[in-house]
């Protein structure tokens, strides 16, 4: 039900003034929250945007449906979830927009249904799609991990890396969540995938599936410096004896300067105790650089 005061004001506007009001409404709805946002949403209803959005979602082409989904999210228009799914599942852009509606409206089924919508098809996600996937799964990534477990082998490399990055940024999964499949990604021919797999497992050293699937000594000697860097960062978050020993072995042999910096950084203060004679040339230079940078930054902060 619209606000009578808004209706009266809108009825006094010319067509050009209505267009300007709609443009300003969109701008303000991007920035304002709370009571003021709810009041502005009533203006959208008074302008008839809700009726137009419902009509375009039902009968419009792809671009009209994108417009409709945009305003459904902005005005918090109540649309049945079945309607959202059926009207948006034929294009990646509309699927991403529909998933965003579910997230913005905080639907109870948003995480599962939104994740399923986003992950239809094998192609990379848009920027909106990646951000929405993260927002839906950031507190509990079980819906994403469940979908990925059964479908990751069908995705192209870019999509897989996007999902791995979201898993790595999201909150920790439950102990009984199946994560062993992530360990198999270290066998991928692509160093980008192997590096993304390591990134996704940062902080998961406690997980039984991960520890049984990841051979620490094998992954830390990967032929790609890019992968070794990601593995060192991963091991630095695991913080157990096996990970520390793998990092200690790494700094004795690492030849890539940037990878050596990551290994030294992952070891932290423990790197200070390593005799100079046991460090590789790159690791020795990396230790000097890391501790000099740390000391300088601490001094500047004081």
């Amino acid at each position: 039900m619209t606000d009578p005061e808004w209706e009266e004001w809108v009825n006094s506007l010319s067509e050009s003034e209505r267009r300007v009001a709609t443009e300003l409404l969109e701008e303000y709805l991007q920035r304002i929250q709370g009571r003021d946002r709810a009041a502005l949403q009533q203006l959208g209803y008074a302008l008839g945007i809700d009726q137009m959005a419902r009509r375009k979602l039902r009968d419009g082409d792809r671009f009209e449906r994108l417009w409709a989904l945009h305003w459904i999210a902005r005005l918090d228009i109540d649309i049945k979830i079945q309607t959202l799914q059926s009207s948006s599942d034929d294009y990646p852009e509309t699927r991403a927009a529909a998933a965003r509606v579910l997230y913005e409206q905080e639907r109870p089924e948003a995480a599962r249904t939104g994740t399923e919508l986003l992950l239809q098809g094998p192609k990379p996600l848009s920027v909106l799609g990646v951000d929405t996937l993260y927002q839906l799964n950031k507190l509990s990534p079980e819906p994403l991990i469940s979908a990925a477990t059964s479908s990751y082998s069908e995705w192209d490399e870019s999509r897989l890396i996007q999902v791995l990055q979201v898993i790595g940024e999201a909150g920790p999964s439950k102990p009984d969540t199946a994560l062993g499949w992530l360990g198999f990604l270290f066998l991928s021919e692509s160093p980008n995938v192997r590096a993304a797999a390591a990134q996704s497992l940062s902080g998961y050293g406690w997980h039984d599936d991960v520890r049984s699937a990841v051979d620490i000594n094998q992954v830390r000697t990967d032929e790609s410096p890019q992968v070794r860097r990601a593995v060192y960062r991963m091991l630095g978050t695991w913080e157990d004896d096996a990970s520390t020993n793998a990092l200690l072995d790494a700094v004795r042999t690492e030849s890539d300067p940037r990878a050596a910096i990551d290994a030294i950084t992952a070891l932290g203060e423990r790197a200070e105790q390593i005799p100079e004679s046991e460090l590789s040339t790159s690791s020795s230079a990396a230790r000097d650089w890391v501790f000099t940078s740390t000391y300088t930054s601490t001094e500047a902060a004081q």
Side-chain angles (χ1 to χ4, degrees), residues 48-232:
I49 296 174
D50 61 316
Q51 297 175 10
M52 190 181 302
R54 291 177 186 277
R55 185 169 63 252
K56 288 188 175 184
L57 184 66
R58 183 184 65 244
D59 302 324
D61 60 22
R62 174 176 35 160
F63 300 105
E64 289 173 324
R65 281 182 283 151
L66 278 173
W67 182 94
L69 289 163
H70 171 82
W71 277 107
I72 288 168
R74 287 280 182 267
L75 298 180
D76 198 19
I77 300 170
D78 186 19
I79 301 289
K80 289 182 179 180
I81 191 167
Q82 294 85 355
T83 302
L84 282 174
Q85 289 174 302
S86 62
S87 61
S88 63
D89 65 358
D90 48 355
Y91 294 103
E93 301 94 331
T94 50
R95 291 197 296 268
R100 194 71 183 193
V101 169
L102 294 171
Y103 165 70
E104 295 283 355
Q105 295 186 349
E106 299 181 348
R107 301 280 188 99
E109 66 275 33
R112 180 184 59 81
T113 305
T115 297
E116 289 175 356
L117 272 171
L118 287 165
L119 296 183
Q120 287 182 33
K123 298 299 182 181
L125 301 173
S126 64
V127 173
L128 175 66
V130 172
D131 181 70
T132 303
L133 190 65
Y134 169 72
Q135 298 298 338
L136 289 169
N137 289 275
K138 64 182 178 182
L139 298 181
S140 180
E142 272 70 30
L144 175 56
I145 292 172
S146 176
T149 302
S150 59
S151 303
Y152 77 93
S153 61
E154 303 167 8
W155 297 338
D156 70 11
E157 181 176 310
S158 296
R159 158 73 73 81
L160 178 56
I161 290 172
Q162 287 175 327
V163 169
L164 292 173
Q165 289 170 340
V166 172
I167 291 174
E169 293 294 329
S173 68
K174 298 176 182 177
D176 60 350
T177 302
L179 293 176
W181 62 277
L182 289 165
F184 293 118
L185 297 179
F186 287 102
L187 302 177
S188 170
E189 294 181 359
S190 168
N192 294 326
V193 170
R194 300 199 302 274
Q199 176 187 332
S200 73
L201 293 176
S202 290
Y204 275 102
W206 53 270
H207 200 287
D208 290 341
D209 267 8
V210 172
R211 297 312 293 253
S212 62
V214 177
D215 185 333
I216 292 177
N217 289 314
Q218 179 180 344
V219 299
R220 75 142 184 101
T221 56
D222 193 283
E223 63 181 6
S224 167
Q226 172 194 0
V227 178
R228 295 199 301 276
R229 293 184 67 196
V231 168
Y232 298 155

